[in-house]
Protein backbone atom coordinates (compact mmCIF):
# COMPACT_ATOMS: atom_id res chain seq x y z
CA UNK A 1 0.00 0.00 0.00
CA UNK A 2 1.46 3.36 -1.05
CA UNK A 3 2.21 5.77 1.75
CA UNK A 4 0.27 9.02 1.85
CA UNK A 5 2.19 12.06 0.71
CA UNK A 6 -0.35 14.54 2.06
CA UNK A 7 1.00 17.30 4.27
CA UNK A 8 0.97 18.37 7.03
CA UNK A 9 1.62 15.13 8.86
CA UNK A 10 1.18 14.82 12.61
CA UNK A 11 2.50 12.29 15.11
CA UNK A 12 3.11 11.69 18.81
CA UNK A 13 5.91 9.46 20.06
CA UNK A 14 6.80 8.53 23.64
CA UNK A 15 10.29 7.25 24.26
CA UNK A 16 11.66 6.77 27.78
CA UNK A 17 11.05 10.07 29.61
CA UNK A 18 10.28 12.12 26.50
CA UNK A 19 7.07 12.70 24.56
CA UNK A 20 7.53 14.30 21.14
CA UNK A 21 4.68 15.89 19.19
CA UNK A 22 5.44 16.56 15.53
CA UNK A 23 4.06 18.63 12.69
CA UNK A 24 5.79 17.79 9.42
CA UNK A 25 5.45 20.17 6.48
CA UNK A 26 7.17 19.97 3.11
CA UNK A 27 9.76 22.57 4.09
CA UNK A 28 9.74 22.48 7.89
CA UNK A 29 9.43 20.11 10.83
CA UNK A 30 8.15 21.46 14.14
CA UNK A 31 8.27 19.55 17.41
CA UNK A 32 6.99 20.12 20.90
CA UNK A 33 9.04 18.01 23.30
CA UNK A 34 7.81 17.18 26.80
CA UNK A 35 10.23 16.01 29.49
CA UNK A 36 8.01 13.89 31.72
CA UNK A 37 10.53 13.85 34.57
CA UNK A 38 10.27 17.64 34.84
CA UNK A 39 6.52 17.94 34.28
CA UNK A 40 4.59 18.27 37.54
CA UNK A 41 1.10 18.41 36.07
CA UNK A 42 0.69 22.02 37.16
CA UNK A 43 -1.50 22.67 34.12
CA UNK A 44 -0.16 26.15 33.40
CA UNK A 45 0.60 25.05 29.84
CA UNK A 46 -3.02 24.01 29.31
CA UNK A 47 -4.24 27.34 30.68
CA UNK A 48 -1.97 29.47 28.49
CA UNK A 49 -2.18 27.51 25.21
CA UNK A 50 -3.71 29.84 22.59
CA UNK A 51 -5.06 26.86 20.63
CA UNK A 52 -6.42 24.80 23.55
CA UNK A 53 -4.19 21.99 22.36
CA UNK A 54 -3.11 20.83 25.82
CA UNK A 55 -5.30 18.97 28.31
CA UNK A 56 -4.63 17.47 31.70
CA UNK A 57 -4.20 13.74 32.06
CA UNK A 58 -4.10 11.52 35.14
CA UNK A 59 -2.00 14.06 37.03
CA UNK A 60 -2.08 12.47 40.45
CA UNK A 61 -1.54 8.91 39.24
CA UNK A 62 1.23 9.85 36.81
CA UNK A 63 3.18 12.03 39.22
CA UNK A 64 2.95 9.40 41.95
CA UNK A 65 4.22 6.73 39.56
CA UNK A 66 1.01 4.73 39.78
CA UNK A 67 0.70 4.41 35.99
CA UNK A 68 3.32 3.78 33.34
CA UNK A 69 3.71 5.09 29.80
CA UNK A 70 1.50 8.07 30.57
CA UNK A 71 2.21 11.79 30.85
CA UNK A 72 0.53 14.29 33.15
CA UNK A 73 -0.58 16.30 30.12
CA UNK A 74 -1.68 15.44 26.62
CA UNK A 75 -0.97 17.57 23.54
CA UNK A 76 -2.90 17.38 20.28
CA UNK A 77 -0.17 17.67 17.62
CA UNK A 78 -2.71 18.86 15.02
CA UNK A 79 -4.11 21.66 17.20
CA UNK A 80 -0.72 22.83 18.44
CA UNK A 81 0.70 25.85 16.61
CA UNK A 82 4.22 25.22 17.99
CA UNK A 83 4.37 28.86 19.03
CA UNK A 84 6.35 28.37 22.25
CA UNK A 85 3.99 30.06 24.73
CA UNK A 86 3.84 26.90 26.84
CA UNK A 87 7.63 26.66 26.77
CA UNK A 88 8.02 30.21 28.08
CA UNK A 89 5.33 29.92 30.75
CA UNK A 90 6.24 26.48 32.12
CA UNK A 91 7.86 27.11 35.54
CA UNK A 92 9.61 23.75 35.42
CA UNK A 93 11.30 23.96 32.00
CA UNK A 94 9.48 20.79 30.94
CA UNK A 95 8.55 21.84 27.39
CA UNK A 96 10.67 22.79 24.40
CA UNK A 97 9.75 23.79 20.85
CA UNK A 98 12.13 22.73 18.10
CA UNK A 99 12.04 23.79 14.48
CA UNK A 100 14.06 21.59 12.14
CA UNK A 101 15.80 20.12 15.18
CA UNK A 102 16.86 23.42 16.74
CA UNK A 103 15.34 25.03 19.89
CA UNK A 104 13.03 27.84 18.83
CA UNK A 105 10.46 30.28 20.26
CA UNK A 106 8.46 31.50 17.25
CA UNK A 107 6.12 33.60 19.39
CA UNK A 108 9.05 35.69 20.64
CA UNK A 109 10.72 35.88 17.26
CA UNK A 110 7.57 36.89 15.36
CA UNK A 111 5.36 38.83 17.78
CA UNK A 112 7.26 39.25 21.02
CA UNK A 113 6.30 37.75 24.36
CA UNK A 114 7.48 38.39 27.94
CA UNK A 115 9.24 35.92 30.21
CA UNK A 116 9.22 35.43 33.95
CA UNK A 117 11.00 38.12 35.93
CA UNK A 118 12.15 36.42 39.10
CA UNK A 119 14.99 36.78 41.56
CA UNK A 120 17.10 33.91 42.89
CA UNK A 121 20.36 35.24 44.26
CA UNK A 122 22.92 34.38 46.91
CA UNK A 123 24.96 37.20 48.46
CA UNK A 124 28.52 35.93 48.16
CA UNK A 125 29.69 38.19 50.98
CA UNK A 126 27.16 36.71 53.42
CA UNK A 127 27.35 33.12 52.22
CA UNK A 128 29.60 30.86 54.31
CA UNK A 129 29.52 27.99 51.75
CA UNK A 130 27.53 25.66 54.02
CA UNK A 131 25.42 22.84 52.61
CA UNK A 132 22.05 23.82 54.10
CA UNK A 133 20.46 25.30 50.98
CA UNK A 134 21.61 22.50 48.67
CA UNK A 135 20.21 19.87 51.03
CA UNK A 136 16.85 21.67 51.31
CA UNK A 137 16.33 22.52 47.62
CA UNK A 138 13.63 20.22 46.15
CA UNK A 139 14.80 20.78 42.58
CA UNK A 140 18.59 20.40 42.96
CA UNK A 141 19.06 23.97 41.74
CA UNK A 142 21.88 24.89 44.13
CA UNK A 143 25.33 24.72 42.55
CA UNK A 144 28.24 24.44 44.99
CA UNK A 145 31.43 25.54 43.27
CA UNK A 146 33.58 24.47 46.20
CA UNK A 147 36.25 21.80 46.69
CA UNK A 148 35.02 18.38 47.79
CA UNK A 149 36.65 17.69 51.13
CA UNK A 150 37.47 14.46 52.89
CA UNK A 151 34.35 14.81 55.03
CA UNK A 152 32.26 14.08 51.92
CA UNK A 153 34.47 11.54 50.15
CA UNK A 154 37.41 9.54 51.42
CA UNK A 155 39.83 10.87 48.82
CA UNK A 156 38.61 14.46 49.06
CA UNK A 157 40.67 17.57 49.69
CA UNK A 158 42.27 17.59 53.14
CA UNK A 159 40.25 19.60 55.63
CA UNK A 160 43.24 21.66 56.78
CA UNK A 161 43.26 23.29 53.33
CA UNK A 162 39.73 24.63 53.78
CA UNK A 163 40.64 27.90 55.51
CA UNK A 164 43.41 30.42 55.17
CA UNK A 165 45.48 29.81 58.27
CA UNK A 166 49.01 29.76 59.60
CA UNK A 167 50.03 26.68 61.54
CA UNK A 168 53.22 26.44 63.55
CA UNK A 169 54.75 23.44 65.27
CA UNK A 170 57.70 23.94 67.58
CA UNK A 171 59.73 21.11 69.14
CA UNK A 172 61.76 22.01 72.20
CA UNK A 173 65.01 20.18 71.45
CA UNK A 174 66.09 20.44 75.07
CA UNK A 175 63.05 18.45 76.16
CA UNK A 176 62.60 16.11 73.19
CA UNK A 177 63.94 12.59 73.76
CA UNK A 178 63.26 11.59 70.13
CA UNK A 179 61.05 8.80 71.41
CA UNK A 180 59.12 8.56 68.14
CA UNK A 181 55.58 8.57 69.60
CA UNK A 182 54.55 11.69 67.67
CA UNK A 183 55.63 10.26 64.32
CA UNK A 184 53.84 6.98 64.99
CA UNK A 185 50.61 8.92 65.51
CA UNK A 186 50.75 11.51 62.76
CA UNK A 187 51.69 11.36 59.04
CA UNK A 188 52.83 14.99 59.24
CA UNK A 189 55.75 14.06 61.48
CA UNK A 190 58.81 11.95 60.81
CA UNK A 191 61.79 11.05 62.99
CA UNK A 192 65.19 11.71 61.43
CA UNK A 193 67.19 9.64 63.83
CA UNK A 194 70.93 9.47 64.46
CA UNK A 195 71.85 5.82 63.90
CA UNK A 196 72.34 3.76 67.05
CA UNK A 197 75.97 2.71 67.59
CA UNK A 198 77.84 0.92 70.32
CA UNK A 199 80.06 3.97 70.70
CA UNK A 200 77.23 6.45 71.28
CA UNK A 201 74.42 4.58 73.02
CA UNK A 202 71.25 6.70 73.30
CA UNK A 203 68.34 8.22 71.37
CA UNK A 204 69.26 11.23 69.24
CA UNK A 205 67.98 12.99 66.15
CA UNK A 206 65.22 15.44 65.25
CA UNK A 207 61.49 15.65 64.51
CA UNK A 208 60.75 16.69 60.90
CA UNK A 209 57.36 18.35 60.28
CA UNK A 210 55.41 18.45 56.97
CA UNK A 211 53.15 21.50 57.22
CA UNK A 212 50.98 20.40 54.28
CA UNK A 213 49.81 17.30 56.14
CA UNK A 214 49.21 18.94 59.52
CA UNK A 215 45.69 19.84 60.57
CA UNK A 216 46.73 21.25 63.93
CA UNK A 217 44.83 18.56 65.82
CA UNK A 218 47.45 18.74 68.63
CA UNK A 219 47.42 14.99 69.25
CA UNK A 220 51.21 14.99 69.01
CA UNK A 221 51.48 17.70 71.67
CA UNK A 222 49.07 15.95 74.00
CA UNK A 223 50.73 12.55 73.58
CA UNK A 224 54.32 13.77 73.96
CA UNK A 225 55.67 12.37 77.25
CA UNK A 226 58.26 15.17 77.39
CA UNK A 227 55.86 18.11 76.79
CA UNK A 228 58.26 19.09 74.05
CA UNK A 229 55.76 19.97 71.28
CA UNK A 230 53.70 23.14 70.86
CA UNK A 231 51.16 23.51 68.05
CA UNK A 232 49.33 26.69 67.12
CA UNK A 233 46.90 27.41 64.27
CA UNK A 234 45.85 30.99 63.58
CA UNK A 235 43.02 31.43 61.06
CA UNK A 236 43.17 34.52 58.88
CA UNK A 237 40.45 36.99 59.92
CA UNK A 238 37.24 36.66 57.83
CA UNK A 239 38.58 33.53 56.18
CA UNK A 240 35.93 31.50 54.33
CA UNK A 241 35.77 28.25 52.48
CA UNK A 242 37.00 28.77 48.91
CA UNK A 243 34.64 28.90 45.95
CA UNK A 244 31.04 30.05 45.85
CA UNK A 245 27.45 28.82 45.95
CA UNK A 246 25.00 29.91 43.24
CA UNK A 247 21.45 29.18 42.13
CA UNK A 248 20.91 27.65 38.68
CA UNK A 249 18.65 30.20 37.02
CA UNK A 250 17.41 27.67 34.45
CA UNK A 251 16.10 25.15 36.98
CA UNK A 252 15.15 27.30 39.99
CA UNK A 253 11.40 27.20 40.67
CA UNK A 254 11.51 30.06 43.25
CA UNK A 255 10.08 27.95 46.07
CA UNK A 256 12.28 29.89 48.54
CA UNK A 257 13.39 26.86 50.57
CA UNK A 258 16.98 28.13 50.28
CA UNK A 259 15.97 31.57 51.49
CA UNK A 260 14.06 30.24 54.48
CA UNK A 261 16.72 27.82 55.71
CA UNK A 262 19.85 29.93 55.09
CA UNK A 263 21.44 30.55 58.51
CA UNK A 264 23.19 33.68 57.21
CA UNK A 265 20.16 35.24 55.46
CA UNK A 266 22.23 35.35 52.29
CA UNK A 267 19.51 34.33 49.81
CA UNK A 268 16.94 36.53 48.07
CA UNK A 269 14.00 35.01 46.18
CA UNK A 270 11.23 36.74 44.23
CA UNK A 271 8.65 34.27 42.94
CA UNK A 272 6.89 33.96 39.59
CA UNK A 273 3.42 34.59 40.99
CA UNK A 274 1.70 36.61 43.70
CA UNK A 275 -1.45 35.28 45.28
CA UNK A 276 -2.77 32.80 47.79
CA UNK A 277 -3.60 29.14 48.19
CA UNK A 278 -6.37 27.93 50.47
CA UNK A 279 -6.84 24.41 51.80
CA UNK A 280 -10.37 23.52 52.83
CA UNK A 281 -9.28 20.80 55.19
CA UNK A 282 -12.83 19.98 56.23
CA UNK A 283 -13.50 18.79 52.65
CA UNK A 284 -10.34 16.70 52.42
CA UNK A 285 -11.20 13.01 52.73
CA UNK A 286 -7.82 12.29 54.33
CA UNK A 287 -5.64 9.28 53.82
CA UNK A 288 -4.65 9.82 50.19
CA UNK A 289 -1.85 12.42 50.58
CA UNK A 290 -1.67 12.85 46.80
CA UNK A 291 -1.04 16.58 47.07
CA UNK A 292 1.81 15.95 49.51
CA UNK A 293 3.46 13.47 47.20
CA UNK A 294 3.24 15.53 44.00
CA UNK A 295 4.00 19.03 45.31
CA UNK A 296 7.20 20.07 43.49
CA UNK A 297 8.07 22.48 46.30
CA UNK A 298 7.58 20.13 49.26
CA UNK A 299 5.26 22.80 50.63
CA UNK A 300 2.32 20.57 51.58
CA UNK A 301 2.44 18.37 54.63
CA UNK A 302 0.41 16.22 56.98
CA UNK A 303 0.24 18.05 60.33
CA UNK A 304 1.49 16.26 63.41
CA UNK A 305 -1.61 14.82 65.08
CA UNK A 306 -2.77 16.61 68.21
CA UNK A 307 -3.18 14.26 71.19
CA UNK A 308 -6.85 13.72 72.05
CA UNK A 309 -6.44 15.22 75.52
CA UNK A 310 -5.12 18.46 74.01
CA UNK A 311 -7.89 18.90 71.44
CA UNK A 312 -10.36 21.69 71.98
CA UNK A 313 -14.00 20.79 72.38
CA UNK A 314 -15.92 20.65 69.06
CA UNK A 315 -12.75 21.44 67.10
CA UNK A 316 -11.71 19.77 63.86
CA UNK A 317 -8.00 19.29 63.48
CA UNK A 318 -6.81 19.74 59.86
CA UNK A 319 -5.54 16.60 58.15
CA UNK A 320 -3.66 18.57 55.48
CA UNK A 321 -1.77 21.87 55.50
CA UNK A 322 0.50 24.02 53.35
CA UNK A 323 3.43 26.27 54.12
CA UNK A 324 2.50 29.26 51.98
CA UNK A 325 6.03 30.67 52.11
CA UNK A 326 7.21 27.68 50.08
CA UNK A 327 4.29 27.43 47.64
CA UNK A 328 4.78 28.90 44.13
CA UNK A 329 1.08 28.69 43.18
CA UNK A 330 1.76 26.35 40.28
CA UNK A 331 -1.49 24.44 40.72
CA UNK A 332 -0.19 20.88 40.58
CA UNK A 333 -1.90 20.00 43.84
CA UNK A 334 -5.25 21.30 42.57
CA UNK A 335 -5.00 19.17 39.43
CA UNK A 336 -4.06 16.04 41.34
CA UNK A 337 -6.60 16.26 44.17
CA UNK A 338 -9.28 13.55 43.75
CA UNK A 339 -11.91 15.57 45.64
CA UNK A 340 -13.79 18.72 44.71
CA UNK A 341 -13.10 22.18 46.18
CA UNK A 342 -10.45 20.98 48.64
CA UNK A 343 -7.75 23.32 47.30
CA UNK A 344 -8.32 26.81 45.90
CA UNK A 345 -5.61 28.78 44.12
CA UNK A 346 -5.82 32.54 43.65
CA UNK A 347 -3.09 34.18 41.61
CA UNK A 348 -3.19 37.97 41.80
CA UNK A 349 -0.12 38.87 39.76
CA UNK A 350 2.59 37.53 37.48
CA UNK A 351 6.13 38.90 37.44
CA UNK A 352 7.35 39.23 33.86
CA UNK A 353 9.76 41.25 31.79
CA UNK A 354 9.52 42.03 28.10
CA UNK A 355 6.70 43.16 25.79
CA UNK A 356 3.29 42.56 27.38
CA UNK A 357 1.39 41.87 24.18
CA UNK A 358 -2.38 41.54 23.87
CA UNK A 359 -1.97 37.75 23.78
CA UNK A 360 0.01 37.84 27.01
CA UNK A 361 -2.56 40.07 28.71
CA UNK A 362 -5.31 37.60 27.78
CA UNK A 363 -3.25 34.73 29.14
CA UNK A 364 -2.36 36.61 32.35
CA UNK A 365 -6.02 37.38 32.99
CA UNK A 366 -6.86 33.71 32.56
CA UNK A 367 -4.10 32.61 34.93
CA UNK A 368 -5.38 35.01 37.59
CA UNK A 369 -8.91 33.59 37.66
CA UNK A 370 -9.39 31.90 41.08
CA UNK A 371 -9.92 28.20 40.59
CA UNK A 372 -10.36 24.88 42.23
CA UNK A 373 -10.92 21.50 40.64
CA UNK A 374 -13.49 18.79 40.18
CA UNK A 375 -13.34 15.20 39.07
CA UNK A 376 -14.45 14.60 35.50
CA UNK A 377 -17.49 12.41 35.27
CA UNK A 378 -16.69 11.22 31.75
CA UNK A 379 -13.11 10.11 32.42
CA UNK A 380 -12.32 8.13 35.55
CA UNK A 381 -9.48 9.53 37.63
CA UNK A 382 -9.08 12.76 35.67
CA UNK A 383 -9.54 16.24 37.10
CA UNK A 384 -10.63 19.38 35.31
CA UNK A 385 -10.24 23.01 36.33
CA UNK A 386 -13.16 24.69 38.05
CA UNK A 387 -13.33 28.45 37.66
CA UNK A 388 -14.53 30.30 40.77
CA UNK A 389 -15.40 33.51 38.96
Amino acid sequence: MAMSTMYPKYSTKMENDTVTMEQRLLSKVSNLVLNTTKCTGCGICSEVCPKDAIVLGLVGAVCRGAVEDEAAISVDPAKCSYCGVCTIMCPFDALEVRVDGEPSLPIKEQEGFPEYDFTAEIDENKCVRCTTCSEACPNDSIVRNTPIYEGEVADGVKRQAALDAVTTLVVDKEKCSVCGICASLCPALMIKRVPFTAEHVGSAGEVVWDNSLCNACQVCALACPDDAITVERVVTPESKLPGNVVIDQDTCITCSWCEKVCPEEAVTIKKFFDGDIIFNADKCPGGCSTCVDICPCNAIYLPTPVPALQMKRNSIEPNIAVNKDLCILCGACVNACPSEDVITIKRTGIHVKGPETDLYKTIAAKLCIPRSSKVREDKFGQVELKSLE
Side-chain angles (χ1 to χ4, degrees):
M1 180 177 178
M3 293 182 61
S4 172
T5 58
M6 298 293 291
Y7 287 88
K9 293 183 178 181
Y10 302 100
S11 65
T12 298
K13 180 175 68 175
M14 186 170 190
E15 188 174 359
N16 298 324
D17 298 327
T18 301
V19 182
T20 303
M21 282 59 65
E22 182 172 282
Q23 177 197 69
R24 182 174 290 273
L25 305 176
L26 279 171
S27 59
K28 182 173 70 173
V29 176
S30 299
N31 298 109
L32 178 62
V33 182
L34 170 68
N35 185 326
T36 59
T37 62
K38 292 183 177 181
C39 179
T40 65
C42 72
I44 288 178
C45 57
S46 67
E47 293 183 83
V48 304
C49 179
K51 300 297 183 179
D52 295 326
I54 305 175
V55 295
L56 295 173
L58 298 168
V59 175
V62 170
C63 294
R64 296 183 78 177
V67 294
E68 296 181 356
D69 300 324
E70 290 278 349
I73 62 170
S74 177
V75 183
D76 186 332
K79 280 187 177 182
C80 179
S81 64
Y82 304 88
C83 64
V85 168
C86 58
T87 299
I88 297 170
M89 297 301 292
C90 176
F92 305 100
D93 194 31
L95 290 159
E96 181 182 58
V97 172
R98 298 174 186 167
V99 177
D100 294 330
E102 297 296 325
S104 179
L105 291 173
I107 189 67
K108 290 190 71 173
E109 298 161 5
Q110 298 169 13
E111 302 177 29
F113 200 84
E115 59 187 35
Y116 288 120
D117 183 18
F118 67 98
T119 301
E121 299 175 343
I122 298 178
D123 187 330
E124 188 171 344
N125 293 323
K126 290 183 178 180
C127 177
V128 294
R129 326 291 191 252
C130 72
T131 62
T132 305
C133 58
S134 60
E135 292 180 44
C137 179
N139 209 44
D140 294 330
S141 297
I142 306 297
V143 181
R144 287 175 48 79
N145 299 312
T146 60
I148 299 176
Y149 293 98
E150 56 187 336
E152 297 182 64
V153 295
D155 59 346
V157 177
K158 298 299 181 182
R159 57 191 179 276
Q160 58 265 33
L163 298 174
D164 292 330
V166 176
T167 302
T168 59
L169 183 144
V170 178
V171 179
D172 187 333
K173 295 182 179 180
E174 297 295 325
K175 293 182 177 180
C176 179
S177 62
V178 199
C179 66
I181 289 177
C182 57
S184 69
L185 295 172
C186 178
L189 296 172
M190 179 181 71
I191 299 298
K192 189 175 181 180
R193 189 180 295 281
V194 174
F196 294 106
T197 66
E199 182 180 2
H200 300 288
V201 177
S203 178
E206 63 177 326
V207 178
V208 179
W209 175 53
D210 186 341
N211 183 25
S212 66
L213 298 176
C214 179
N215 62 10
C217 68
Q218 301 208 25
V219 168
C220 59
L222 296 172
C224 179
D226 304 315
D227 292 328
I229 302 176
T230 302
V231 180
E232 290 186 356
R233 182 175 173 83
V234 179
V235 178
T236 304
E238 301 181 2
S239 178
K240 289 184 178 181
L241 296 179
N244 64 0
V245 180
V246 297
I247 301 174
D248 186 338
Q249 302 294 297
D250 293 329
T251 61
C252 176
I253 59 176
T254 71
C255 65
S256 80
W257 263 103
C258 54
E259 182 182 44
K260 302 305 177 186
V261 302
C262 178
E264 304 298 323
E265 298 182 352
V267 185
T268 301
I269 299 292
K270 183 179 78 173
K271 299 186 178 184
F272 303 128
F273 302 110
D274 293 327
D276 194 14
I277 185 169
I278 301 169
F279 274 65
N280 302 306
D282 57 322
K283 295 184 178 182
C284 177
C288 82
S289 72
T290 297
C291 57
V292 177
D293 294 338
I294 65 96
C295 177
C297 304
N298 293 340
I300 306 173
Y301 62 98
L302 303 176
T304 303
V306 176
L309 294 177
Q310 296 179 19
M311 293 181 64
K312 297 179 180 178
R313 185 181 295 274
N314 299 323
S315 68
I316 299 177
E317 294 297 327
N319 51 14
I320 199 74
V322 60
N323 185 323
K324 295 184 180 183
D325 289 337
L326 306 175
C327 175
I328 65 170
L329 303 175
C330 71
C333 56
V334 178
N335 302 335
C337 180
S339 297
E340 188 169 345
D341 294 334
V342 176
I343 309 171
T344 300
I345 188 170
K346 297 180 179 180
R347 303 186 189 103
T348 57
I350 309 172
H351 298 288
V352 295
K353 57 185 177 182
E356 297 188 22
T357 60
D358 289 340
L359 174 61
Y360 167 75
K361 291 177 182 178
T362 300
I363 288 172
K366 188 176 181 181
L367 285 174
C368 289
I369 295 175
R371 67 175 180 83
S372 184
S373 63
K374 62 180 179 181
V375 178
R376 295 182 60 166
E377 296 180 359
D378 58 332
K379 292 190 176 181
F380 177 77
Q382 280 191 230
V383 172
E384 63 183 351
L385 304 184
K386 177 181 178 182
S387 172
L388 300 180
E389 264 199 350

